[in-house]
Amino acid sequence: MQNSPAQNTGPRALKNAFISFQEKIGIHTSGYIEAGMYWGANNRSTRVIGTKQKPKEYIDRSGLPEHAKREYYKALGIKHFRNAVFRKRGQISCLEHLNRTNGTDIVANYTFNRRTGAYDD
């Protein structure tokens, strides 16, 4: 799997999801919005809090210093994403998987090979 935390699981993923949420009902947005309640398709809603001017008011992205993260990761025996190699031949990202299946119920035409640790087309 290709790791791009900001795009796949972090702030950018949330922004992309909100853009998609609004586009489903015909509203086009850059994702930079004011705080408030927003409605989407099928009577779904989401509440946005905070402001771009005070980005750390609710979430502090640097709450744990880098040296402390390294110590915790070492103690747990895990690698930080910056130190790990993710993309091996034949692997695809989650985003690429979604693009290949195009939001349909198409079954993926590739499999994960545990022996090689890669996806085979």
Side-chain angles (χ1 to χ4, degrees), residues 20-74:
S20 178
F21 175 75
Q22 291 286 273
E23 284 179 348
K24 298 251 188 240
I25 59 168
I27 298 173
H28 298 284
T29 176
S30 66
Y32 293 107
I33 55 171
E34 297 297 318
M37 183 69 93
Y38 293 85
W39 295 92
N42 302 320
N43 204 30
R44 303 282 183 166
S45 65
T46 186
R47 181 182 308 274
V48 176
I49 59 173
T51 64
K52 191 173 181 182
Q53 293 73 28
K54 293 183 177 179
K56 291 185 177 183
E57 186 174 9
Y58 295 99
I59 299 173
D60 186 359
R61 294 184 193 174
S62 300
L64 189 61
E66 188 66 31
H67 68 87
K69 285 183 191 176
R70 282 194 299 267
E71 290 175 17
Y72 284 125
Y73 287 1
K74 185 176 181 181

Side-chain angles (χ1 to χ4, degrees), residues 41-119:
N42 302 320
N43 204 30
R44 303 282 183 166
S45 65
T46 186
R47 181 182 308 274
V48 176
I49 59 173
T51 64
K52 191 173 181 182
Q53 293 73 28
K54 293 183 177 179
K56 291 185 177 183
E57 186 174 9
Y58 295 99
I59 299 173
D60 186 359
R61 294 184 193 174
S62 300
L64 189 61
E66 188 66 31
H67 68 87
K69 285 183 191 176
R70 282 194 299 267
E71 290 175 17
Y72 284 125
Y73 287 1
K74 185 176 181 181
L76 294 171
I78 59 176
K79 290 183 180 180
H80 190 279
F81 71 91
R82 290 186 187 132
N83 302 327
V85 177
F86 293 97
R87 186 125 178 144
K88 296 179 183 176
R89 185 179 173 171
Q91 290 186 326
I92 64 167
S93 68
C94 293
L95 184 60
E96 177 61 23
H97 170 72
L98 290 172
N99 289 335
R100 286 186 184 191
T101 58
N102 196 23
T104 65
D105 46 350
I106 296 173
V107 176
N109 61 351
Y110 51 90
T111 57
F112 182 72
N113 186 324
R114 287 181 188 248
R115 187 177 53 76
T116 64
Y119 287 91

